[in-house]
Amino acid sequence: MTFDHLARREALRAALRERGLDALLVTDLTNVRYLSGFTGSNGGLLVDARGEAESRIATDGRYTTQVAEQAPDLVVLNARGVATALVAHAAKQKTHKLGVESHIVTLQQHRALVAAAGQAADQVAFVAPELVPVAGVVELLRVVKDPHEVEALRKAAEIGDQALAALLAGGGVRAGRTELEVARELESRMLDFGSEGPSFETIVAAGPNSAMPHHRPTDAVLKTGDFVKIDFGALWLGYHSDMTRTYVLGEPAAWQREVYGLVLAAQTAGRAALKPGAELKSVDAAARDLIDAAGHKDHFDHGLGHAVGLDIHESPALSKLSDGLVPVGSVLTVEPGVYLPGKGGVRIEDTLVVGESENLLLTLTDKALTILEP
């Protein structure tokens, strides 16, 4: 699959011109990958608003072959300190206003950039460029996924579905196993189906541990009567999937049926409210209001969802604090939960592509209450 990195840089150039910037120094590695295709651990990108001729990618000698293969359309600067090298290049090209990713660059790094810009400008008898703080300009472009990105996300979700199905069919979730054993097997099965790795540390939370939204799996043993919450994802071409399913080992108690039914109803309501142009906070409210009305206001204390892509958590988010509207073409999770301390909890999560007329569901594993043989 080929991503059009040049088109992404052209879109960024237009955004830079709108902001009155001559260029942008990109130091966030995910943004470097998005704009160039380069995946090395040391890289930076200078995107010049005037065109490709003065744009540069920088990395060190360890990645000479890799950067040539992954970003063949960009001129490479070989440097260990990629950010200062790119700022120096911008200064020598008489750049006036240079944007920097202010949500990424530290104060110490900023001081080094200012010094590098000044030294390079002195060499060409030019005033050093003004370093302008710019936060989230590339991330804003990443909100709407193109068809290739959607396909990568769909494939990642498919791998997750397949791995979970294989885990369940093989009796991998059963009494006597530990949370860690289940998590490791699920991650192994994702690799078997082609995943590049897990999207994040797999969550397997059993019994009272399932009441913790982001419990890390331990050697706690699964027992008959437990809720078992599994939150996981696969990577495909750098894109993340994200899905949560909750199961019961053996016949569920009445309270478990009640809580599960409530969370499923809230998830259904949230999915129905996820429409282009809807207020982000209203989507959250569609699910949250059901949970609040059932007396569990204090038992759902995270947002309803978030965007996914090259990062597992991207903008926008669905929460009661979110401002803005749901963008068509964005890819978002809907994941309400109810967590009862000391007893257990349920979360049900899907990932969806927001469409003009209808949404595309990427995570296809059944959500009906599933009782597993203990």
Side-chain angles (χ1 to χ4, degrees), residues 275 277-283 316-319 321-327:
K275 298 179 179 179
E279 289 188 333
L280 296 166
K281 64 181 61 177
S282 73
V283 181
L318 300 173
S319 81
L321 301 177
S322 297
D323 292 321
L325 307 178
V326 176

Side-chain angles (χ1 to χ4, degrees), residues 81-315:
V82 295
T84 52
L86 290 168
V87 166
H89 173 78
K92 291 174 182 177
Q93 297 305 316
K94 300 185 177 181
T95 301
H96 292 277
K97 289 185 178 293
L98 175 61
V100 296
E101 294 181 305
S102 53
H103 57 306
I104 303 298
V105 174
T106 67
L107 181 58
Q108 181 177 350
Q109 290 168 339
H110 184 267
R111 289 170 177 162
L113 296 180
V114 170
Q119 292 170 4
D122 288 344
Q123 295 175 16
V124 291
F126 181 70
V127 177
E130 177 187 357
L131 302 186
V132 181
V134 180
V137 63
V138 180
E139 287 83 352
L140 188 61
L141 296 177
R142 288 167 50 191
V143 167
V144 175
K145 270 54 178 182
D146 64 34
H148 293 300
E149 290 180 290
V150 170
E151 176 56 24
L153 289 161
R154 186 205 64 76
K155 178 63 177 178
E158 178 183 74
I159 291 170
D161 283 324
Q162 292 171 328
L164 181 58
L167 176 73
L168 296 176
V173 183
R174 63 180 185 272
R177 300 198 85 192
T178 67
E179 294 170 339
L180 277 170
E181 287 172 338
V182 175
R184 287 168 179 166
E185 182 179 343
L186 180 54
E187 291 182 352
S188 176
R189 289 186 180 275
M190 285 193 287
L191 291 173
D192 291 342
F193 284 104
S195 174
E196 297 167 351
S199 289
F200 49 91
E201 184 180 10
T202 297
I203 296 171
V204 176
N209 290 340
S210 63
M212 291 182 276
H214 277 187
H215 170 73
R216 300 182 70 181
T218 67
D219 58 2
V221 176
L222 280 61
K223 300 175 183 176
T224 300
D226 280 352
F227 270 138
V228 182
K229 183 181 69 201
I230 303 175
D231 185 350
F232 71 106
L235 277 175
W236 177 259
L237 299 182
Y239 285 82
H240 298 68
S241 70
D242 196 359
M243 178 172 71
T244 308
R245 294 293 184 264
T246 305
Y247 300 103
V248 184
L249 288 180
E251 187 62 28
W255 71 269
Q256 290 175 312
R257 289 185 180 275
E258 178 184 351
V259 170
Y260 194 95
L262 173 61
V263 174
L264 182 57
Q267 209 256 0
T268 301
R271 283 184 51 186
L274 186 65
K275 298 179 179 179
E279 289 188 333
L280 296 166
K281 64 181 61 177
S282 73
V283 181
D284 177 272
R288 191 174 302 278
D289 289 351
L290 286 178
I291 293 173
D292 291 355
H296 290 290
K297 182 176 182 179
D298 295 333
H299 300 141
F300 176 32
D301 57 1
H302 58 75
L304 181 65
H306 56 88
V308 296
L310 285 171
D311 285 323
I312 187 60
H313 289 98
E314 297 188 352
S315 295

